[in-house]
Amino acid sequence: MASIKDVAAQAGVSVATVSRVLNSHPSVSAEARTRVLAAVDALGYRPNAVARSLRTAQTRTLGLVISDVLNPYFTELARFVEEEARALGYSVIIGNADERPELQDHHIRTLIDRRIDGLLVSPADGGSPLMREVSLSGTPMVFVDRWIPGIDVPVVRADGTGAVKDLVAHLHELGHRRLAIIAGPAATTTGNERVEAFREALRELGLALPDAYIGQGDFQAASGRRATEGFLALPEPPEVVFAADNLMALGALDAIRARGLRVPDDIALAAFDDIPWFVHTDPPITTVAQPTAELARAAVRALADLIEGRTPQSVTLPARLVVRRSCGQDATDQRSTR
């Protein structure tokens, strides 16, 4: 492996000149810069990022701790985070919390030990003392998708309130009156927010949300199946099941099919969080879609601003309703579809 001395010898310059070129110092002549960069390419030299960080106090590395890597929404979010970070000159180390606060904290400790420049976190719950310690320590941190009230860091998230209201209005138009929801964990901001948005949208149309029509889930498919089995066992089952994330929607679909029922003929189904293969289910599933790519890019830019000493603002982007065929609408209805 080539060293900085090899590059200097090949380019006919001093080691100090090579160092200045690699650190974009303006004092190097254009001719010397060209020779050094040609030698770097010819020798395949790669500066040691850790060694450089000892001088610059930066590793050009970001940490991303996501709630569940098996959830397609977070997988897509991670992809766009990595893409935007790379465009800004950062690498990304990803930790999967698997919806477990203790595993989340393990990843955060590990990332800080590795001297990452900043953290992007989608909190697994709102009670982590470590998260508060990190925010007070001065480590640049941004919450993405979820957040913890009382911790003063920028938050980049989607607001699903309007899209959930649009969904409930759409279901009402189709004649549905008995609407149930599979909620996410009460310890998460998104879990609470989606239930309250659904409840308020129903209230505005004069509809109630009975306790029996609220199934407690944990953003995992198995909980969606259990909640739906409970709904279907009621003396008066709901006409619609709205799952507060995509994995719980898949669990709900499993439970419906296990009963020999059909969507939407026997019961309608909708989900929060769109995923590419929802268009390929039979029938395609109506969803509330978050702007995943835009959220990821905004979160990385906010974190980069923090690292560079600026003060970014929190960002809230609107989710939108995507109408497909799982709620009983005519397949030729093109309103808000894709």
Side-chain angles (χ1 to χ4, degrees), residues 72-74 76-81 83 144-145 156-163 193-194 272-275 287-301 315-322 338:
Y73 166 74
F74 286 112
E76 187 174 25
L77 184 77
R79 173 199 168 194
F80 287 118
V81 163
E83 185 179 272
V144 58
D145 183 68
V156 177
R157 68 183 188 93
D159 182 359
T161 305
E193 186 180 68
R194 292 169 194 176
F272 201 104
D273 284 341
D274 200 15
I275 49 179
T287 66
V288 171
Q290 301 194 76
T292 313
E294 291 84 352
L295 289 171
R297 291 171 187 141
V300 173
R301 290 169 190 159
V315 175
T316 302
L317 301 174
R320 65 189 179 91
L321 174 63
V322 179
R338 78 170 181 186

Side-chain angles (χ1 to χ4, degrees), residues 2 29 74 87 89 120-121 135 150 152 198 233 249-250 268 285 288 290 298 329:
S29 70
F74 286 112
L120 290 170
V121 184
S135 70
D152 187 20
F198 189 68
L250 293 178
I285 295 176
V288 171
Q290 301 194 76
Q329 65 273 20

Side-chain angles (χ1 to χ4, degrees), residues 9-198:
Q10 173 104 349
V13 298
S14 68
V15 169
T17 298
V18 174
S19 179
R20 285 193 289 270
V21 170
L22 296 177
N23 286 286
S24 303
H25 198 283
S27 67
V28 183
S29 70
E31 179 187 0
R33 186 179 303 277
T34 299
R35 293 207 310 273
V36 168
L37 294 177
V40 166
D41 288 340
L43 296 172
Y45 174 70
R46 294 293 177 268
N48 185 301
V50 173
R52 290 178 68 186
S53 75
L54 297 176
R55 297 189 299 275
T56 65
Q58 289 191 2
T59 58
R60 304 301 296 179
T61 304
L62 307 179
L64 170 64
V65 180
I66 55 176
S67 305
D68 182 5
V69 75
L70 293 180
N71 185 318
Y73 166 74
F74 286 112
T75 305
E76 187 174 25
L77 184 77
R79 173 199 168 194
F80 287 118
V81 163
E82 195 279 332
E83 185 179 272
E84 183 67 17
R86 187 172 65 248
L88 296 180
Y90 290 94
S91 297
V92 179
I93 301 175
I94 299 174
N96 171 36
D98 201 27
E99 299 291 358
R100 293 161 51 195
E102 72 279 5
L103 187 54
Q104 163 194 278
D105 288 358
H106 164 76
H107 287 309
I108 289 173
R109 289 190 187 94
T110 301
L111 289 166
I112 290 174
D113 287 346
R114 293 194 177 195
R115 303 180 66 251
I116 46 92
D117 294 336
L119 273 170
L120 290 170
V121 184
S122 178
D125 77 351
S128 168
L130 177 64
M131 210 78 77
R132 298 179 189 279
E133 292 171 17
V134 172
S135 70
L136 294 172
S137 73
T139 298
M141 181 166 66
V142 171
F143 289 147
V144 58
D145 183 68
R146 306 176 188 176
W147 67 100
I148 299 177
I151 295 185
D152 187 20
V153 301
V155 178
V156 177
R157 68 183 188 93
D159 182 359
T161 305
V164 170
K165 184 176 180 179
D166 290 343
L167 170 65
V168 171
H170 169 66
L171 296 170
H172 191 267
E173 268 185 40
L174 294 171
H176 299 305
R177 298 296 182 269
R178 300 194 308 276
L179 282 61
I181 184 169
I182 307 172
T188 64
T189 47
T190 48
N192 285 319
E193 186 180 68
R194 292 169 194 176
V195 173
E196 290 310 309
F198 189 68

Side-chain angles (χ1 to χ4, degrees), residues 203-241:
R203 188 194 64 77
E204 290 181 6
L205 292 173
L207 301 176
L209 182 61
D211 289 344
Y213 283 4
I214 303 174
Q216 189 57 58
D218 59 8
F219 291 141
Q220 302 289 326
S223 69
R225 179 170 185 138
R226 285 193 302 271
T228 304
E229 288 169 347
F231 294 149
L232 297 176
L234 292 171
E236 191 172 44
E239 297 167 314
V240 181
V241 172

